[in-house]
Amino acid sequence: MRTVRIARPDDLDGFRRAARGLIAAGAEPETVSWQEEGESALPFGDPLPGGAAAPPLSVPKRFHALAEPVICHRDPERFALLYTALWRLGRGERSLLQDATNPLVRRLERMAGAVDRDEHRMTAFLRFRRIETDGAERFVAWFEPEHHILRRAAPFFIGRFAAMRWSILTPDGSLHWDGGALEISPGMRREDAPDEDALEATWGRYYAATFNPARANPAMMQSEMPKRYWRNLPEAALIPELLDGAAARTRAMIAATAEAPRKAIPAPELHGPGPAGTLAGVASEIAACRRCPLHGPATQPVPGEGPADAPVVFVGEQPGDQEDLAGRVFVGPAGQLFNRALAEAGIDRARIYVTNAVKHFKYEVRGKRRIHQKPNSGEVEACRWWVERELGLIRPRLAVALGATAARALSGHAGPLSGLRGRPLRFRDDLPGLVTIHPSYLLRLPDEAAREAEHRRFVAELRQAAALVPEIRCG
Ligand code: URA
């Protein structure tokens, strides 16, 4: 039996080096014991001896897309499972990963999904508290991830809070950003994170004001945001009270919506110019938008996200249910699929700007559920104002329309996607563009083989975007 030590729990490169060496040596999976050092035991050590000189393995891209999240799972068997998959891929089971019924593949897929969900929760439920050290402002958050997602989640927080100084403390490790460089230090205890915050009361008022009673579903709230996260959320104390009043507020909301027909008001007339020339300014103007009635039932508008100088802008349709609640683009199921496809295409989400053709969630209430409704051409046209403001500020070299609504907003033409997909074209104002599908299309395809084929085509079209603008590639 050979023992392989992995220095850091999420060390994919170390795993790859070791696996290459083991495969070259013909080590069968049953003869290898994988041992994981704790993050704090060997925080930055060289992970593995040997293996580096072994020839690279030729493995399907799907393996890389799976291994990247799976390595962050807390299951100590993850290295052995990945190595078994690698071994079998190299021993004549080339299409192993396409067999969704295979127990090993199913387990790896479930692990990848759990890691993606954990990362989503971290980005959605982490709350910074403001502290002052040596007269300087710093934002500190405590979070207890289920898996080893700290490094994986770091680019999101850097992209989102680039100009702030912040620290994210977790039991496994901590991230510190000073506005220019990221430092990673060992884990901390909960007591190290500040509890009190001047912003907390303000945040609580905001949360209460935007709490959507039509959406109140305690069971679902708990499955989305397990109770263990609640104690770190300033708004959690408000939830029981808000739930008590939810039914009455729903009735009041429905009555108010029926009584108050809305009139579209052009944004500039309503609130004048926002802080000029910034995406944050556009976001605050969108928050006051009354150009169409969709702002009424929505929880909040969802502005775009990404660097202000992103060379590529991806445009979706409109926020979904989860985006409406979180106030962030593509964080729900379609977003997770989108993230996975971007990773498979080798695109770094932190280098692109992602937004929607329509900024508010349009839905119909059925029972306790809010069912997505496609925005009509008037709504798309009203919101085009904002997409053009975003494009005008970012001035990307390429725009990618995800689906027909985005293609309509960017090109002005309604019609089927089939003739437009995957070929370079020009949108309005001569902006170079590509059209591909919306990721939620893949979620709706009932047939697995068709879904797999469409997924591959989607990834190939995303790769085209990366080929046109290589700066968005990972690494
Ligand atoms: N679908 C979209 O088009 N945008 C989102 O943000 C989420 C789902």
Side-chain angles (χ1 to χ4, degrees), residues 96-447:
L96 172 70
L97 300 179
Q98 265 120 51
D99 179 2
T101 60
N102 181 289
L104 173 63
V105 177
R106 283 174 55 175
R107 187 157 167 202
L108 291 171
E109 294 277 5
R110 271 202 305 274
M111 290 166 80
V115 169
D116 282 345
R117 278 192 299 282
D118 196 31
E119 188 182 342
H120 159 62
R121 284 174 177 155
M122 179 166 179
T123 58
F125 304 141
L126 181 139
R127 297 283 180 270
F128 284 106
R129 294 178 159 90
R130 183 180 169 281
I131 58 167
E132 273 194 29
T133 47
D134 303 328
E137 186 177 58
R138 185 165 204 100
F139 292 86
V140 182
W142 170 255
F143 194 78
E144 291 168 51
E146 216 168 312
H147 301 291
H148 300 292
I149 54 168
L150 199 60
R151 283 176 177 74
R152 197 170 189 251
F156 167 81
F157 291 101
I158 293 172
R160 179 87 179 197
F161 305 112
M164 282 163 45
R165 295 168 69 238
W166 50 258
S167 294
I168 298 175
L169 316 179
T170 85
D172 301 320
S174 304
L175 301 175
H176 309 276
W177 176 252
D178 67 1
L182 183 73
E183 208 189 292
I184 304 179
S185 68
M188 298 219 185
R189 296 158 314 150
R190 202 207 176 301
E191 305 84 88
D192 298 324
D195 250 342
E196 294 305 320
D197 183 358
L199 300 177
E200 208 151 285
T202 315
W203 168 249
R205 281 198 296 280
Y206 169 78
Y207 183 80
T210 57
F211 182 82
N212 191 335
R215 182 68 179 71
N217 177 344
M220 192 158 130
M221 276 170 75
Q222 266 191 51
S223 80
E224 269 304 302
M225 192 204 305
K227 274 201 158 156
R228 65 196 201 87
Y229 297 107
W230 288 27
R231 69 193 166 110
N232 297 323
L233 296 177
E235 68 269 30
L238 300 169
I239 292 174
E241 194 186 319
L242 290 168
L243 285 176
D244 283 349
R249 275 196 66 197
T250 306
R251 283 193 297 276
M253 254 174 62
I254 291 168
T257 313
E259 277 161 18
R262 294 169 206 280
K263 180 162 142 286
I265 303 171
E269 282 173 31
L270 182 72
H271 41 76
T278 66
L279 289 168
V282 172
S284 62
E285 288 184 44
I286 294 174
C289 180
R290 302 289 181 271
R291 293 171 65 82
C292 82
L294 292 185
H295 67 90
T299 306
Q300 57 192 315
V302 179
E305 271 181 31
D309 58 352
V312 182
V313 170
F314 285 76
V315 183
E317 183 191 79
Q318 61 163 341
D321 184 81
Q322 295 198 24
E323 287 78 13
D324 169 81
L325 294 171
R328 298 198 25 229
V329 281
F330 279 108
V331 293
Q336 281 168 26
L337 205 153
F338 182 44
N339 284 348
R340 187 85 63 93
L342 285 173
E344 282 176 57
I347 295 176
D348 184 349
R349 184 160 166 180
R351 296 184 190 181
I352 59 174
Y353 185 85
V354 183
T355 192
N356 282 306
V358 170
K359 309 297 186 204
H360 284 101
F361 178 36
K362 180 176 180 183
Y363 64 92
E364 188 182 288
V365 178
R366 282 195 217 143
K368 285 192 171 176
R369 297 179 58 213
R370 301 192 302 171
I371 309 295
H372 161 276
Q373 301 288 298
K374 209 173 174 54
N376 63 33
S377 54
E379 288 149 356
V380 174
E381 192 52 28
C383 231
R384 198 158 65 76
W385 165 270
W386 299 117
V387 180
E388 288 185 355
R389 293 280 302 279
E390 290 171 296
L391 291 173
L393 285 169
I394 300 168
R395 306 180 77 76
R397 305 214 317 268
L398 179 73
V400 181
L402 301 168
T405 303
R408 165 185 283 210
L410 290 167
S411 68
H413 297 296
L417 291 188
S418 42
L420 300 178
R421 275 185 75 174
R423 60 182 173 83
L425 39 77
R426 297 268 162 181
F427 290 136
R428 286 187 165 103
D429 299 328
D430 222 23
L431 173 63
L434 282 178
V435 174
T436 181
I437 49 151
H438 191 282
S440 64
Y441 168 66
L442 298 175
L443 293 172
R444 291 194 303 268
L445 282 176
D447 176 64

Side-chain angles (χ1 to χ4, degrees), residues 34-73:
W34 297 85
Q35 286 194 9
E36 175 190 334
E37 304 283 354
E39 175 106 15
S40 48
L42 255 178
F44 312 114
D46 184 10
L48 281 168
L57 299 174
S58 149
V59 275
K61 290 210 166 53
R62 182 81 196 110
F63 179 81
H64 297 297
L66 263 181
E68 190 271 320
V70 166
I71 208 83
C72 301
H73 200 282

